[in-house]
Amino acid sequence: MDVFGIEEIILAVILFIAIHYWRLNRNTPMTIWPIMGMLPSFIHNVSNFYDYINSLLQQNGGTIIFEGPWLTNMKMVFTSDCMNVQHITSTKFENYGKGKDFEEIFEVLGDGIFRSDFHMWKYNRTLLHSIFKQENFQVFLHKTIEKKIFSSLLVFLDHACKKGLQVDLQDIFQRLTFDNICSIVLGFDPICLSIDLPQIACEKAFTQAENTLFYRHVTPKFLWKLQKWLQIGEEKKFSKNVKIVDKMVYSKIKSKKDQMQGEQQFDLLSILLKQSIGDGKNPIDDENKFLRDTSINLLAAGRDTISSTLTWFFWLVSTHPFVEAKILEEIKENLPSRKDNWKYLGMEGLNKLIYLHATLCEVLRLYPPVPIEHKSSLKCDVLPSGHKIKSNTMIVYSLYSMGRVEKIWGKDCLEFKPERWISKKGGIIQVPSYKFIAFNAGPRTCLGKDISFFEMKMIISSILLNYQIQVVEDHPIIPSISVVLDMRYGLKINVKKRSI
């Protein structure tokens, strides 16, 4: 008679428990497994992560507590409750910082504005706010974006139109915005967007690094840290990509310092060098590192958020011809013509584009470029939803889900409807930032909000006036799973010259 060994008995017990828990939870979206907690359910649904989280939040009153495997300390609170968000971002702002987990995951950002807390964050914010308000910088910003639109974007689209090329519009916008933000921050154009669509190492490294950052979100800390220590897998690629980006940034810092006595320049790095050197009041120990960290933060913000929003904008508008027609009519009526029959993309005319502004808000509501944000509690607290928060608890608020909350936006919350943003008097309805959270809320509200709208309106106006964007039939439109809400398969389009 055979006798079962200890291995067979352990395996049988594990299988019995697994089948038992599967039967108990097979009709629920989130199975809580022994030892592994909720992690298997999250991993199983990682391909549609943001919609999965949204469904969980809707079924659980807007807030859920995630518990990972035993002994991993992988516990966090997810919420789409706007009162919780207001509490975290404004009412109890001092109690919720980025936290240790955020700092470790986003170490690449250094001590820049998106990763720092308290004194360093206040210094970063005050410094950048003063620069953004400078008239010389604003003029430089406008000229830089306009030049890139006419010298690269329209030239490429004209070439694609004449050759009948099928184009990935998401890739074009990522190249365009990377060129723009490098010019604005570092004072040089890497020329990612040109007719031959060259592979630029620093731009490619930026994109690949983002994938690793999301990987760190859904992987137990000990595992990705082990990969980092051993320099294998995703972490090996991440280190390589960061070195490429750092090499580019540090070389520009050096060249800017060498040019300090030359002609006056208004890119952000040049202004920072003049304002931060030797003022005796800043908390900076290593000036080169400070300049590097600030540059990396602004490059990430200025490239990804705008390219993502533009991509979703043109998909939504191309599939809603009535919206496109209204935007085009508004542009023609409000942007003054120049001698060469081009429209002048100035601030005064762009500010009159109310319906375009409303459409951008609607795009950002449904497809926020940063789909989740997370904070960490310093002390114990109780959220407005009644959930008790221990110190050092990670709280994730889902911007993607908040745009789909019926209590905030109504029963038509899943519809693309720019009109919801326009008042009876024809102005933009101001929605509180803790409800419309695309630009964050409270003291950390995005400094570049006005700049972002300005750049997007310039790009959109120049494209719509000259070209018709037609999405390739049956092209799959699926959100990517990354720290930035891009399209997983890009946005394949055909370009046609618009008849005037």
Side-chain angles (χ1 to χ4, degrees), residues 305-435:
T305 56
I306 293 174
S307 64
S308 170
T309 305
L310 288 171
T311 302
W312 289 106
F313 173 92
F314 275 95
W315 170 62
L316 287 165
V317 168
S318 69
T319 53
H320 294 78
F322 175 73
V323 173
E324 181 180 30
K326 287 193 70 172
I327 294 172
L328 190 58
E329 180 184 4
E330 183 181 60
I331 291 171
K332 290 179 178 178
E333 288 180 357
N334 290 284
L335 294 189
S337 297
R338 303 194 304 192
K339 292 181 181 179
D340 53 5
N341 291 325
W342 292 101
K343 291 289 187 178
Y344 178 64
L345 305 174
M347 180 69 78
E348 185 178 350
L350 293 172
N351 283 339
K352 296 178 182 178
L353 305 180
I354 302 299
Y355 192 77
L356 174 54
H357 192 98
T359 305
L360 282 167
C361 288
E362 185 71 345
V363 173
L364 288 162
R365 176 182 75 85
L366 289 168
Y367 298 99
V370 180
I372 59 172
E373 286 272 7
H374 49 91
K375 298 289 183 71
S376 180
S377 56
L378 299 178
K379 300 176 182 179
C380 295
D381 194 17
V382 179
L383 297 178
S385 60
H387 291 81
K388 294 180 180 180
I389 303 297
K390 295 181 180 180
S391 60
N392 299 316
T393 298
M394 183 189 289
I395 302 178
V396 180
Y397 49 99
S398 172
L399 287 71
Y400 183 86
S401 297
M402 290 181 70
R404 291 161 169 75
V405 174
E406 191 173 306
K407 288 183 180 179
I408 300 175
W409 305 105
K411 292 184 179 180
D412 61 353
C413 62
L414 298 181
E415 294 179 27
F416 176 63
K417 189 177 177 182
E419 288 75 14
R420 77 174 76 244
W421 292 90
I422 300 177
S423 68
K424 293 180 180 179
K425 294 183 179 181
I428 293 293
I429 295 174
Q430 300 300 319
V431 177
S433 57
Y434 62 88
K435 293 183 178 180

Side-chain angles (χ1 to χ4, degrees), residues 194-288:
S194 61
I195 288 176
D196 54 346
L197 298 179
Q199 286 291 326
I200 306 298
C202 55
E203 193 267 343
K204 185 178 179 181
F206 239 90
T207 301
Q208 292 177 342
E210 287 170 359
N211 297 331
T212 303
L213 292 176
F214 181 80
Y215 172 80
R216 288 182 174 185
H217 277 80
V218 297
T219 304
K221 187 191 300 184
F222 79 89
L223 184 56
W224 69 257
K225 280 198 167 187
L226 179 62
Q227 289 186 343
K228 180 184 175 184
W229 183 62
L230 295 173
Q231 279 299 286
I232 59 174
E234 282 291 326
E235 293 298 321
K236 180 179 180 180
K237 291 188 287 185
F238 185 68
S239 297
K240 179 182 177 182
N241 289 323
V242 171
K243 286 178 182 177
I244 292 172
V245 175
D246 278 351
K247 182 179 179 181
M248 174 194 73
V249 173
Y250 277 120
S251 70
K252 297 309 168 186
I253 292 171
K254 182 180 183 303
S255 63
K256 284 293 176 186
K257 286 187 172 183
D258 294 340
Q259 297 169 7
M260 282 297 288
Q261 302 303 318
E263 63 178 290
Q264 192 173 18
Q265 295 180 319
F266 299 105
D267 58 87
L268 196 136
L269 185 56
S270 295
I271 297 174
L272 279 173
L273 279 167
K274 292 171 186 174
Q275 292 197 195
S276 65
I277 291 177
D279 61 13
K281 300 177 182 178
N282 63 57
I284 301 165
D285 296 322
D286 184 338
E287 184 184 69
N288 279 350

Side-chain angles (χ1 to χ4, degrees), residues 82-267:
C82 64
M83 300 314 296
N84 284 349
V85 172
Q86 183 184 33
H87 182 86
I88 295 163
T89 60
S90 300
T91 309
K92 290 289 187 74
F93 173 74
E94 298 297 334
N95 189 47
Y96 293 93
K98 291 296 185 179
K100 186 178 178 182
D101 287 327
F102 186 97
E103 290 177 0
E104 290 180 334
I105 291 172
F106 289 92
E107 61 186 332
V108 66
L109 298 179
D111 293 323
I113 190 170
F114 297 124
R115 183 173 176 263
S116 57
D117 277 321
F118 310 114
H119 183 49
M120 191 65 199
W121 167 75
K122 289 180 181 178
Y123 177 78
N124 275 308
R125 189 172 178 88
T126 301
L127 181 61
L128 291 174
H129 183 263
S130 68
I131 293 174
F132 290 171
K133 293 296 182 182
Q134 291 181 19
E135 185 177 351
N136 285 334
F137 178 72
Q138 292 182 356
V139 172
F140 168 75
L141 187 80
H142 176 264
K143 288 183 177 179
T144 299
I145 297 169
E146 185 176 54
K147 179 182 178 182
K148 192 67 189 179
I149 287 172
F150 287 101
S151 66
S152 296
L153 176 62
L154 297 183
V155 170
F156 176 83
L157 291 177
D158 193 57
H159 169 74
C161 184
K162 290 177 179 177
K163 297 292 184 179
L165 301 177
Q166 193 177 101
V167 174
D168 180 358
L169 195 58
Q170 178 169 267
D171 178 51
I172 300 308
F173 285 145
Q174 288 176 341
R175 290 169 178 271
L176 171 68
T177 54
F178 192 73
D179 285 347
N180 275 340
I181 199 62
C182 283
S183 299
I184 292 164
V185 174
L186 303 176
F188 98 106
D189 184 351
I191 315 179
C192 297
L193 179 55
S194 61
I195 288 176
D196 54 346
L197 298 179
Q199 286 291 326
I200 306 298
C202 55
E203 193 267 343
K204 185 178 179 181
F206 239 90
T207 301
Q208 292 177 342
E210 287 170 359
N211 297 331
T212 303
L213 292 176
F214 181 80
Y215 172 80
R216 288 182 174 185
H217 277 80
V218 297
T219 304
K221 187 191 300 184
F222 79 89
L223 184 56
W224 69 257
K225 280 198 167 187
L226 179 62
Q227 289 186 343
K228 180 184 175 184
W229 183 62
L230 295 173
Q231 279 299 286
I232 59 174
E234 282 291 326
E235 293 298 321
K236 180 179 180 180
K237 291 188 287 185
F238 185 68
S239 297
K240 179 182 177 182
N241 289 323
V242 171
K243 286 178 182 177
I244 292 172
V245 175
D246 278 351
K247 182 179 179 181
M248 174 194 73
V249 173
Y250 277 120
S251 70
K252 297 309 168 186
I253 292 171
K254 182 180 183 303
S255 63
K256 284 293 176 186
K257 286 187 172 183
D258 294 340
Q259 297 169 7
M260 282 297 288
Q261 302 303 318
E263 63 178 290
Q264 192 173 18
Q265 295 180 319
F266 299 105
D267 58 87

